[in-house]
Amino acid sequence: MHYALRIKNFLADDFFVKALSFFVLFSLPLGMKKFLFPIEGKFITSETDGVFLFLNDIWIIILLFLFSSFCINKKPCLSFLKKKALMVPLAIFVGFSFLSIFVSTHFGFSTYFFIRLVLGVIFGFLVYCLVKHSGFFSVALGLFLSALVQSFLGLLQFISGKSVGLRYFGEVVVNETTQYVARTSVDGAVFLRAYGTMQHANILAAFLIIGFLAGAFLFYKKYNKERRDVLASALISSGLFIIALGIAATFSRSGWIAAFVSGILFLGFVFFNHNGKKAGMRMCVLFAVIFVGVISSFGWAIIPRASLERDEPSVELRVDYLHIGSRIITDHPFFGVGIGNQTDYAKEQGLYAKFGVSRPRDFQPIHNIFILVFSEIGIFGVVSIGIFFAALFARAFRNVARDINVAWLFSSTIALFIFGLFDHFPWTMQSGIAMFWVLVFLLALSLEERVE
């Protein structure tokens, strides 16, 4: 009994909770997974073809144990469940996502995708509960340092043109001859796009932006202290520059757009904060120096990539996917074709061929999560999740000038929404789902009583 009490006191200790919060967020981009079994006997080519156990699933088990046992007080977590303006539309959205399984032509796939969605929501809620006890500083530090590590890894991949040997941490194995891997060409020279331990360069870009904004938040907190920590500010500034280089090395144009917009948003929110004008001026100078430094280092590769041409294959494919999505929505407006079933449905109905997508490797989900979600779960699911985010963003917008936590997390969430205009990973890929729902629940937490 004496030892049980000592264990309980240790697990409830502030340091333990803050350390746990740090490691959960630090490990967010790690793509470690264990294959369990295929879905509907399909040949495994990606994580969407089979059932996998991911690192985040292990965290869910650990956190559920801690909050369901005597270890950590779970009563503060119930506050989110009492927010009817958020809980009701979120529950309706999950309910219609579940119902969409029964209209799917691939029941197994849709069931698994629904489970992954639910696990993403649960993971986000458990992180919300954890941070309720630990505060936001350990979260920001975990994201910032993790983004710094991922940037170093991505830059090594870009320079070497291959993976760097971290397969057990989730890095996809790539060498100079690996086909169908995201690369970019500059003046005839082909470079591997940085992807870190993520499945794709765009997903890494999204995480690096989140980490960059977390670093900007830390810079603000250090600068606004009564006694400024010059060394800490200098180290954070250096880290922000390295992360910016990592974002550049992903060659993700959607990432560059999201980084620019979310960065400007955060700066604007800081200026509107009654305590933030001096910090805002310092951050403007810092961001300008970082931008000049990145262009000086990577301008030779960024500038040719920055232009968009209508006849580019990637642009044409995204337009074709939008046409496919519009066709599916027109034919199935109420309940969609089933969560996770858009790609298989489009293949079976010949929609890819009809809209000019001929190569099997291009039979991919619609690269716009708003159209994709509409096509899979129908108008009722889209309206319910739309009401959820309308309520969340309206409250966030009213508080960005008063609370730097809200400003930081709102800007980060907007960055993922910008990615959603051009990509599908926040809906289809486990790492994207986890990032998305963690940010959503952290934003909801920042709108509660002040959490330091």
Side-chain angles (χ1 to χ4, degrees):
M1 191 69 177
H2 175 66
Y3 289 109
L5 182 61
R6 290 179 64 181
I7 293 172
K8 177 181 177 180
N9 291 336
F10 172 73
L11 294 177
D13 183 75
D14 280 349
F15 177 78
F16 169 77
V17 176
K18 289 179 179 179
L20 182 62
S21 178
F22 171 86
F23 283 114
V24 169
L25 275 297
F26 183 88
S27 67
L28 193 59
L30 299 181
M32 291 180 284
K33 57 183 179 286
K34 172 65 178 176
F35 171 69
L36 300 179
F37 54 86
I39 305 176
E40 298 182 0
K42 198 167 184 178
F43 179 73
I44 305 300
T45 58
S46 71
E47 68 178 50
T48 60
D49 298 325
V51 175
F52 288 83
L53 179 69
F54 294 91
L55 176 61
N56 290 333
D57 301 329
I58 304 298
W59 279 125
I60 289 175
I61 295 170
I62 293 172
L63 294 176
L64 279 174
F65 168 74
L66 292 176
F67 283 106
S68 62
S69 67
F70 58 80
C71 299
I72 300 178
N73 182 15
K74 55 182 175 291
K75 287 184 180 179
C77 305
L78 302 179
S79 59
F80 182 84
L81 303 179
K82 298 176 183 177
K83 301 178 186 300
K84 293 183 180 179
L86 297 178
M87 270 303 302
V88 172
L90 180 60
I92 293 173
F93 163 71
V94 173
F96 277 107
S97 298
F98 174 72
L99 291 177
S100 75
I101 294 173
F102 300 98
V103 301
S104 173
T105 54
H106 291 271
F107 184 83
F109 273 105
S110 290
T111 300
Y112 179 61
F113 270 82
F114 173 74
I115 292 171
R116 289 251 62 97
L117 169 65
V118 171
L119 288 175
V121 173
I122 291 173
F123 184 55
F125 176 68
L126 290 173
V127 170
Y128 163 98
C129 295
L130 186 63
V131 178
K132 187 100 174 176
H133 292 78
S134 71
F136 286 113
F137 188 84
S138 55
V139 170
L141 188 61
L143 291 171
F144 175 63
L145 292 181
S146 184
L148 191 57
V149 171
Q150 292 290 325
S151 293
F152 276 118
L153 175 58
L155 289 168
L156 285 174
Q157 291 165 340
F158 168 76
I159 293 168
S160 65
K162 59 184 179 180
S163 54
V164 297
L166 297 178
R167 178 168 63 93
Y168 291 107
F169 290 92
E171 183 189 20
V172 178
V173 178
V174 173
N175 59 36
E176 295 86 345
T177 61
T178 305
Q179 294 184 329
Y180 312 132
V181 174
R183 302 182 190 275
T184 189
S185 176
V186 180
D187 295 331
V190 178
F191 298 93
L192 178 66
R193 295 171 60 188
Y195 61 93
T197 57
M198 301 290 208
Q199 290 291 305
H200 193 274
N202 287 355
I203 312 178
L204 175 63
F207 179 75
L208 293 183
I209 293 169
I210 294 169
F212 183 91
L213 291 172
F217 166 80
L218 292 173
F219 181 88
Y220 175 93
K221 298 290 279 188
K222 290 294 183 183
Y223 184 84
N224 261 24
K225 276 189 172 183
E226 290 184 10
R227 188 175 181 180
R228 292 171 190 168
D229 192 334
V230 177
L231 178 60
S233 297
L235 290 174
I236 293 170
S237 301
S238 301
L240 288 172
F241 176 66
I242 293 169
I243 294 173
L245 288 176
I247 295 172
T250 64
F251 290 91
S252 170
R253 286 178 290 198
S254 52
W256 296 344
I257 294 170
F260 178 79
V261 174
S262 59
I264 293 296
L265 268 180
F266 183 69
L267 278 178
F269 295 151
V270 168
F271 272 110
F272 278 112
N273 190 294
H274 66 280
N275 291 323
K277 289 183 173 57
K278 288 185 179 179
M281 288 297 297
R282 182 63 63 90
M283 289 174 63
C284 271
V285 174
L286 174 62
F287 282 16
V289 170
I290 289 173
F291 178 77
V292 171
V294 170
I295 293 298
S296 300
S297 305
F298 267 99
W300 57 273
I302 292 174
I303 293 172
R305 171 78 175 170
S307 62
L308 278 174
E309 302 294 338
R310 175 63 180 83
D311 59 350
E312 281 186 50
S314 61
V315 177
E316 284 188 331
L317 281 172
R318 280 168 167 77
V319 174
D320 293 336
Y321 294 147
L322 290 177
H323 289 315
I324 292 169
S326 299
R327 176 62 178 271
I328 294 174
I329 291 170
T330 302
D331 293 343
H332 302 274
F334 297 111
F335 297 100
V337 295
I339 184 171
N341 192 44
Q342 178 266 309
T343 303
D344 282 317
Y345 176 87
K347 285 192 288 189
E348 292 163 359
Q349 298 297 314
L351 294 180
Y352 285 113
K354 182 173 183 177
F355 288 98
V357 183
S358 57
R359 296 181 301 184
R361 69 171 181 268
D362 293 331
F363 294 170
Q364 298 178 24
I366 299 162
H367 280 49
N368 180 300
I369 58 171
F370 309 100
I371 302 298
L372 177 58
V373 172
F374 199 157
S375 70
E376 291 192 345
I377 65 174
I379 190 170
F380 300 114
V382 167
V383 168
S384 59
I385 196 63
I387 292 172
F388 171 84
F389 280 111
L392 182 65
F393 285 174
R395 291 187 62 195
F397 196 73
R398 289 196 298 267
N399 288 276
V400 288
R402 293 198 294 265
D403 194 335
I404 191 64
N405 296 328
V406 180
W408 156 46
L409 291 164
F410 185 45
S411 303
S412 300
T413 307
I414 291 298
L416 275 191
F417 268 78
I418 293 171
F419 266 104
L421 293 170
F422 310 104
D423 218 316
H424 58 85
F425 65 82
W427 179 252
T428 60
M429 307 295 290
Q430 187 275 334
S431 53
I433 294 170
M435 275 195 292
F436 182 81
W437 288 106
V438 163
L439 279 180
V440 167
F441 276 93
L442 287 177
L443 178 58
L445 176 60
S446 72
L447 296 170
E448 297 183 10
E449 69 276 6
R450 193 164 181 80
V451 179
E452 292 294 344

